[in-house]
Amino acid sequence: MFRMVVRLDGGRGLEVDRLNFLTDGIYAIVMTLLVLELKIPEGLASDRILPALTEAGPKFAAFLISFSAAAVGWSYAYLSHSVMRRSNFTHMLLTLVSLMAVSLIPFASAVMGSYPDSPWGYIPYCVTIGALTATLTIDMLLNRRALVDPRLDPRIPTLFWMSTLGCMLVAVVGGTWLAFWSPRVTFWVIVVVSVLIWIDYYYLSAWIGRETARIESEDAVADSAE
């Protein structure tokens, strides 16, 4: 017989450990599956190996972009759960929806790598990233007041949902217009946006670290005063 244990955080919400474990597992599987698309024909003559690797270049590019997207998604989950210390049903449901979108990244990567010169090669990727970032944006907008520590700088959750909203808008533009205008430009827009997100998260992680240290220091002073 299975027994479900629900642990509350001071009566203010559900614990997030199980949700974090599931999130880590899904992202690990997705990142691993991406490499399965990287293949060249077997039994090639020595002088055909380099041309085969060159021909597989779009698949390697799609792998790098998609791995970065999955890594950004996991980084978002890691950073956001650093400030969302508890959960509720809405957050749990939206997290599951976001993981469903994440699970489509290997498929989107395979299509992008196989059809790099076609606008339809980028549509599945844009739809997947659009669905993922839309879900994360809604989650943070709905739950930032209920789940985020009120002592945290309020600009941090705002930066979370603004960054995902920006990515969603880029994905919508890329999937509805830009890819049909120029697949090559779409590819480079994806690359540039990926780099900008990593820069954003670099500074955001340091900011969260400073805020967390400040809150923990305040808690330690309050405990010692008692």
Side-chain angles (χ1 to χ4, degrees):
M1 179 179 294
F2 294 98
R3 182 167 61 93
M4 183 177 70
V5 177
V6 178
R7 178 161 54 87
L8 299 180
D9 179 14
R12 297 175 298 171
L14 303 174
E15 58 94 8
V16 297
D17 292 347
R18 297 289 293 276
L19 198 58
N20 288 339
F21 294 154
L22 177 63
T23 299
D24 290 347
I26 295 295
Y27 275 103
I29 293 171
V30 166
M31 291 176 177
T32 303
L33 290 176
L34 287 172
V35 78
L36 298 181
E37 288 297 316
L38 302 180
K39 302 176 183 177
I40 61 173
E42 297 181 1
L44 294 175
S46 180
D47 60 343
R48 290 297 305 160
I49 295 178
L50 181 58
L53 289 172
T54 303
E55 292 172 4
K59 292 184 181 294
F60 281 98
F63 166 78
L64 291 174
I65 289 175
S66 300
F67 190 93
S68 176
V72 165
W74 179 86
S75 299
Y76 177 94
Y78 174 71
L79 292 174
S80 64
H81 284 167
S82 296
V83 301
M84 300 174 76
R85 300 302 179 89
R86 53 195 185 275
S87 181
N88 57 25
F89 181 79
T90 302
H91 176 59
M92 180 185 70
L93 182 62
L94 289 172
T95 299
L96 293 174
V97 173
S98 73
L99 293 177
M100 179 175 65
V102 169
S103 299
L104 290 172
I105 290 179
F107 167 74
S109 177
V111 176
M112 183 165 51
S114 298
Y115 305 99
D117 298 320
S118 169
W120 294 104
Y122 295 90
I123 300 303
Y125 180 84
C126 291
V127 170
T128 298
I129 299 303
L132 171 60
T133 52
T135 304
L136 297 178
T137 301
I138 294 170
D139 184 23
M140 185 58 72
L141 283 173
L142 291 179
N143 292 309
R144 69 187 189 279
R145 299 186 187 279
L147 302 182
V148 175
D149 192 324
R151 296 172 296 175
L152 195 75
D153 190 322
R155 293 174 295 177
I156 290 179
T158 299
L159 185 56
F160 270 116
W161 70 258
M162 287 185 65
S163 65
T164 52
L165 178 63
C167 291
M168 182 193 72
L169 295 177
V170 172
V172 170
V173 172
T176 58
W177 173 74
L178 188 60
F180 292 95
W181 178 66
S182 173
R184 186 176 296 273
V185 171
T186 303
F187 170 82
W188 285 110
V189 167
I190 293 172
V191 171
V192 170
V193 171
S194 299
V195 172
L196 291 176
I197 294 172
W198 281 116
I199 294 174
D200 176 34
Y201 282 7
Y202 172 79
Y203 289 103
L204 181 59
S205 63
W207 192 0
I208 293 173
R210 291 193 298 269
E211 284 292 293
T212 301
R214 176 182 62 81
I215 292 172
E216 290 177 350
S217 176
E218 292 174 354
D219 288 342
V221 171
D223 291 341
S224 62
E226 293 177 358

